[in-house]
Amino acid sequence: HLTDEQRFVCERDFRWIRYRLEQTEHKFYRELIVNVVQSAILDFFDFHSTLNDEDSISGQNASIMNRFLTMLENGDYQDHREVTYYADALYVTPKYLSEVSKKVSGYPANYWINRYTSLAIARLLRDKRLSFVQISDMFHFSSPAYFSRYVQRNLGLNPTQYRE
């Protein structure tokens, strides 16, 4: 349950995101959207961290999570869907990265990697000019069959059904 102040912050964040989404002619539109969404995510992390004060989030954990999300925002998920890659880049172990992610956001690191990947794939699947093989290649899946299984597992439908 959110406090009145947290609810106000959520509503403000969503109004701001909605407003900024309409500004498609902004010269830095993608960066703008990434920034406002990341700001809302950080507010959600802050809400989550206040649920249990003895588990408060350290500055180091917040920094690791912020750098992890920045890597995802920059599109690293297109080439790398393994927690090990991100952990190595952040100079921590995969287990520690997942623990930090869970503590800060409530979800392990692989959740965020799959979330970013799935949202990007879903967006690309809506573009019927792109074939499934092209999308699969963009994300470096080992085969179109593996891509199809990934989509089925993460989006609940196979690529053909998703497009219908």
Side-chain angles (χ1 to χ4, degrees):
H1 297 284
L2 298 175
T3 66
D4 289 340
E5 182 181 345
Q6 289 170 332
R7 189 174 61 253
F8 171 78
V9 169
C10 270
E11 290 170 352
R12 183 199 61 206
D13 285 348
F14 283 117
R15 278 193 308 273
W16 189 239
I17 290 169
R18 194 174 306 121
Y19 170 74
R20 293 309 230 170
L21 281 170
E22 294 171 0
Q23 298 179 322
T24 57
E25 300 302 316
H26 194 285
K27 290 187 191 300
F28 302 98
Y29 181 76
R30 183 184 184 290
E31 292 81 3
L32 178 74
I33 298 306
V34 165
N35 183 278
V36 296
V37 170
Q38 192 169 36
S39 175
I41 289 170
L42 291 172
D43 282 336
F44 298 148
F45 290 167
D46 181 59
F47 302 160
H48 183 265
S49 73
T50 60
L51 293 175
N52 197 351
D53 284 338
E54 68 260 13
D55 284 342
S56 66
I57 298 168
S58 72
Q60 179 180 352
N61 287 352
S63 174
I64 289 170
M65 189 66 185
N66 188 41
R67 289 183 293 148
F68 173 54
L69 287 177
T70 298
M71 291 174 75
L72 292 171
E73 295 286 346
N74 289 334
D76 286 17
Y77 59 85
Q78 243 183 299
D79 297 317
H80 306 283
R81 287 182 298 282
E82 328 70 41
V83 175
T84 304
Y85 166 81
Y86 298 92
D88 288 347
L90 297 168
Y91 303 105
V92 298
T93 66
K95 182 179 180 191
Y96 185 70
L97 177 57
S98 281
E99 288 172 358
V100 166
S101 179
K102 182 114 172 124
K103 187 172 189 176
V104 173
S105 71
Y107 295 100
N110 64 342
Y111 167 85
W112 290 107
I113 297 165
N114 284 329
R115 184 78 178 141
Y116 275 82
T117 304
S118 297
L119 289 172
I121 288 172
R123 182 177 46 80
L124 292 171
L125 283 172
R126 286 192 286 278
D127 183 351
K128 295 185 180 184
R129 295 172 297 173
L130 296 171
S131 73
F132 299 144
V133 172
Q134 287 173 308
I135 298 169
S136 173
D137 288 346
M138 290 170 73
F139 287 84
H140 307 286
F141 282 93
S142 57
S143 71
Y146 179 62
F147 169 72
S148 183
R149 283 193 303 274
Y150 184 91
V151 170
Q152 177 76 41
R153 186 175 65 246
N154 289 283
L155 297 178
L157 301 168
N158 69 41
T160 304
Q161 292 169 323
Y162 193 86
R163 275 198 170 160
E164 291 175 351

